[in-house]
Amino acid sequence: DIVPKGCRHMKIANVGGSNSVLKTSFARLIPQKYGINIENRGVGATSSIYGLINIVKYKLPSRNDVLLFEYFINDNNHHFQGINDVNRVEKTLIQIIDMCIKSDTKLLFILIYNRSHLLQNKYEESPMYLKYKSIIEMYNVPYIDMNKKMLNPV
């Protein structure tokens, strides 16, 4: 069994964009495949700022053992479109990390990529990508890099 003992009873919440709410999303497939319930508060086409609002509104860190966070693709897309600012996202991510630390809630970033940006190698130079990676390293936040998973599915 891929799911460690004790994990099936963990309280898990998710905030994220459309990749969290589509019928084929990880947040829908994990409960179906492994019987793990996920409180899914994802909303498509939104950014980490909206995620922060949902985290506060639903008190997700204080009510869950794990918080899945899937906003990188939208934050990055919004940055390229001139909608979102790297510094604002940095402050948002730090607030979320701080709330999880104070609630002793595990946080997991899920990095999903825009296929066309990936093919154009935009990520290596993307200020948003670099900021996410910097915060992940600085705060030692576990993450799943879906690009690396797809290229090396082991």
Side-chain angles (χ1 to χ4, degrees):
D1 192 6
I2 192 168
V3 180
K5 287 184 179 180
C7 289
R8 291 192 196 281
H9 302 291
M10 293 178 79
K11 293 181 181 176
I12 302 172
N14 175 72
V15 290
S18 60
N19 287 298
S20 296
V21 297
L22 298 171
K23 287 182 182 178
T24 57
S25 75
F26 64 89
R28 290 183 184 241
L29 295 177
I30 290 172
Q32 292 171 6
K33 186 168 182 174
Y34 300 109
I36 298 172
N37 188 36
I38 295 178
E39 179 182 354
N40 193 354
R41 296 293 178 179
V43 178
T46 58
S47 70
S48 56
I49 295 166
Y50 192 85
L52 174 60
I53 292 167
N54 267 347
I55 290 167
V56 171
K57 178 179 179 181
Y58 296 106
K59 300 177 177 146
L60 296 178
S62 63
R63 297 187 313 100
N64 290 280
D65 302 307
V66 178
L67 178 62
L68 308 175
F69 187 86
E70 183 274 310
Y71 278 111
F72 167 70
I73 189 170
N74 289 354
D75 283 341
N76 198 61
N77 287 345
H78 292 169
H79 171 72
F80 282 133
Q81 296 164 0
I83 298 171
N84 213 346
D85 175 79
V86 173
N87 293 326
R88 182 175 25 210
V89 170
E90 176 182 31
K91 290 174 186 173
T92 301
L93 296 178
I94 291 170
Q95 279 188 291
I96 292 165
I97 291 167
D98 188 50
M99 284 190 291
C100 287
I101 289 170
K102 287 178 181 173
S103 296
D104 197 28
T105 300
K106 304 293 183 217
L107 177 62
L108 176 66
F109 283 171
I110 299 173
L111 306 183
I112 297 177
Y113 299 79
N114 178 307
R115 188 171 194 272
S116 64
H117 291 172
L118 189 60
L119 294 173
Q120 296 166 10
N121 292 318
K122 283 189 171 183
Y123 288 105
E124 299 305 317
E125 300 170 5
S126 164
M128 193 64 73
Y129 176 77
L130 296 173
K131 184 52 69 181
Y132 260 81
K133 293 300 268 188
S134 168
I135 289 171
I136 285 168
E137 290 175 17
M138 184 183 312
Y139 292 92
N140 200 27
V141 177
Y143 69 100
I144 297 173
D145 187 321
M146 295 307 289
N147 176 42
K148 290 187 173 51
K149 283 288 183 196
M150 291 187 309
L151 294 176
N152 303 308
V154 177

